[in-house]
Amino acid sequence: MATEDKNRATAAAILPLVGGAANVSSIAHCMTRLRLGLHDRSLVDDEALKALSAVMGVVEDDTYQIVLGPGTVARVTPEFEQLVEEAREAAPTAVQTVSADELAAQGAAIKAQQKAKNATPFKLFLRKIANIFVPLIPALIGCGIIAGLNGLLVNLGWLPAVTPALAAMASGFMALIAVFVGYNTAKEFGGTPILGGAVAAIIVFPGVANIDAFGQTLSPGQGGVLGALGAAVLAVYVEKWCRRWVPEALDVLVTPTLTVLISGLVTIFGLMYVAGEISSAIGTFADWLLSNGGAGAGFVLGGLFLPLVMLGLHQALIPIHTTLIEQQGFTVLLPILAMAGAGQVGAAMAVYFRLPRNESIRRTIKSALPAGLLGVGEPLIYGVSLPLGRPFITACVGGAFGGGVVGLFNQLGDTVGSTAIGPSGWALFPLLDGNHGLGSTIAIYGAGLLVGYVAGFLATYFFGFSKDLLTEFNVSQDPAPSTVAATGGPHPSPDTDRDRTDGPGSPDSTDPGPTDPGPTDPGSPEKAPARV
């Protein structure tokens, strides 16, 4: 089947299972998930959706999220949008089973219930921050890979006429990233996006080098993405204030002028300096942490990343990663955090060998393992380790040992970093960079992955199962939808990634607040964290 036909078939299979076109109020996607706004949640057939071969799992929050995986979701979403549009055009006056008012009331009630259950002010703020940076991840990845290719060609002395062009392609986006951050920030906080971008553009304008603030001459780009974020948020508040007080007849002239003027002055004579100091402190602290903490810091970071994802706190790392990439050309934190995925893969392999009679779980592992190796951890986490309880903990142990290896080499002077956020696992290899050549960097990262696999496997094989758990699960259960819930294993409340990225760098995530996984079928993940 042709790729386009396959993507359209997937979209066509999903549409009736979410209640049809009339039940879809909004369509969007992040790195791994199709995000749907629905009028009536009760019209969705969860089990049938999860049974589709292309669907890795579903997540319910403000939007209903269908996990399709990186690459696939970007191709299925346009097909889904086209099918919805075609269905609406074909039946513009289709009779609904309930009235519009009833649908609105049901949708509002469901949304309010979910928000009250899952959202806290702090996590809602982190979600906004993630939503600002997640749309930038594709450009970060593309430019990062081009930068790596350019560096390889320069080191080899190949294609000298081409490398300057590649350098321009790789650096152009990063030179203007503050503008994109400002645009997305204003959009996310309810202002006019182009005004947020206009104010943030001041930060990267070369002419700021002629301005003195706090006794220092400003530098273009000073404050970076943090300064752009602060400037755009300020612009939103100034704009909203103007909308309240400026007469409508003058609004089109006065509001944008005052927004750029006031926010621009505060940015130049305040935010750029403050944000520059914070950005420098972040870079200095990250270098100090790995230079002095080394293996210990890597052990803690690699071991705690999965619990951070469960709590939604990983989203706070996104602007830190971006700041490090902007300053140093790569983030030294991401390769360490990526070791959490290695521990997860090792744990899943141990579960496979420890449960030889459980065809359902073994089938889930076989189908999800390739995605896990590439850094998509949703199926393994929520289909295998988290519902079983102990294997989730031993997977964290594997991630800790892998992170410790990468941290140790950082302490010894071999810096390992990533030029972009988002990918993880084997998918991170093309984005690696460091201070001792590509070969050394790849070898260290590969060693960390190998240690993470082995440590996660051994910890899970020997300590991941009690006698009761083995008795409960090492039997044929093909299928057994409710068996996992009966174990009474721990069910941490995850904060699903919007983005992860869903990777350690990115919440896919873009993403919702914490949700309780609840009873989970070992063969079909219900909730999905960031990509690890």
Side-chain angles (χ1 to χ4, degrees), residues 146-147 149-151 153-154 157-172:
I146 292 173
L149 175 62
N150 184 65
L153 292 175
V154 169
W158 294 354
L159 303 176
V162 176
T163 51
L166 293 178
M169 297 176 198
S171 304

Side-chain angles (χ1 to χ4, degrees), residues 95-471:
V95 178
Q96 299 182 5
T97 57
V98 294
S99 69
D101 289 341
E102 289 173 328
L103 278 178
Q106 290 175 7
I110 293 171
K111 188 171 183 179
Q113 183 180 13
Q114 284 299 118
K115 281 191 173 183
K117 178 181 178 181
N118 299 331
T120 64
F122 180 62
K123 288 178 181 176
L124 288 174
F125 173 75
L126 289 182
R127 186 183 305 174
K128 284 182 177 289
I129 299 301
N131 289 343
I132 292 167
F133 289 92
V134 165
L136 306 180
I137 289 177
L140 285 169
I141 292 173
C143 295
I145 291 177
I146 292 173
L149 175 62
N150 184 65
L152 179 62
L153 292 175
V154 169
N155 291 335
L156 294 174
W158 294 354
L159 303 176
V162 176
T163 51
L166 293 178
M169 297 176 198
S171 304
F173 172 73
M174 290 307 301
L176 297 174
I177 190 173
V179 179
F180 295 99
V181 170
Y183 184 96
N184 286 346
T185 300
K187 181 179 179 181
E188 187 65 26
F189 281 84
T192 302
I194 198 66
L195 290 180
V199 174
I202 297 170
I203 293 174
V204 295
F205 177 60
V208 297
N210 300 321
I211 302 172
D212 291 334
F214 298 98
Q216 297 182 6
T217 301
L218 295 177
S219 301
Q222 185 173 337
V225 295
L226 296 182
L229 196 157
V233 169
L234 175 62
V236 169
Y237 282 101
V238 173
E239 180 187 358
K240 289 181 177 180
W241 179 86
C242 290
R243 301 288 184 201
R244 287 197 302 268
W245 296 103
V246 173
E248 290 186 11
L250 300 175
D251 182 74
V252 70
L253 295 175
V254 175
T255 297
T257 302
L258 289 179
T259 299
V260 175
L261 178 62
I262 297 173
S263 304
L265 289 172
V266 174
T267 298
I268 291 171
F269 293 104
L271 283 177
M272 286 186 67
Y273 176 81
V274 174
E277 293 298 307
I278 295 174
S279 298
S280 298
I282 289 174
T284 301
F285 177 74
D287 291 339
W288 176 87
L289 180 66
L290 295 180
S291 297
N292 295 276
F299 190 91
V300 173
L301 291 172
L304 290 182
F305 184 70
L306 284 181
L308 286 177
V309 170
M310 299 299 103
L311 296 172
L313 300 179
H314 65 293
Q315 295 168 351
L317 297 173
I318 296 176
I320 295 176
H321 286 308
T322 309
T323 297
L324 291 174
I325 292 171
E326 190 179 35
Q327 282 185 346
Q328 304 175 358
F330 51 78
T331 168
V332 293
L333 298 180
L334 184 55
I336 292 175
L337 299 178
M339 295 301 118
Q344 178 60 57
V345 168
M349 295 174 67
V351 172
Y352 184 89
F353 286 104
R354 289 290 271 164
L355 302 179
R357 298 193 184 108
N358 193 314
E359 298 89 352
S360 178
I361 290 182
R362 285 165 66 90
R363 186 164 54 248
T364 297
I365 293 172
K366 284 192 292 185
S367 63
L369 199 58
L373 291 169
L374 292 174
V376 182
E378 290 96 336
L380 289 177
I381 292 174
Y382 281 97
V384 182
S385 66
L386 187 59
L388 291 173
R390 281 195 189 183
F392 178 77
I393 298 173
T394 53
C396 294
V397 172
F401 277 96
V405 169
V406 179
L408 175 62
F409 278 99
N410 271 277
Q411 186 175 11
L412 296 176
D414 289 304
T415 301
V416 178
S418 170
T419 57
I421 57 177
S424 182
W426 292 5
L428 196 63
F429 277 109
L431 295 168
L432 293 176
D433 198 359
N435 61 347
H436 282 163
L438 186 59
S440 174
T441 302
I442 289 176
I444 294 170
Y445 180 72
L449 287 178
L450 181 60
V451 170
Y453 296 150
V454 173
F457 180 91
L458 294 177
T460 305
Y461 193 90
F462 290 107
F463 305 105
F465 292 89
S466 64
K467 291 182 179 179
D468 291 340
L469 198 63
L470 278 176
T471 302

Side-chain angles (χ1 to χ4, degrees), residues 502-521:
D502 303 63
S506 88
D508 212 359
S509 55
T510 51
D511 277 329
T515 55
D516 185 2
T520 309
D521 178 0

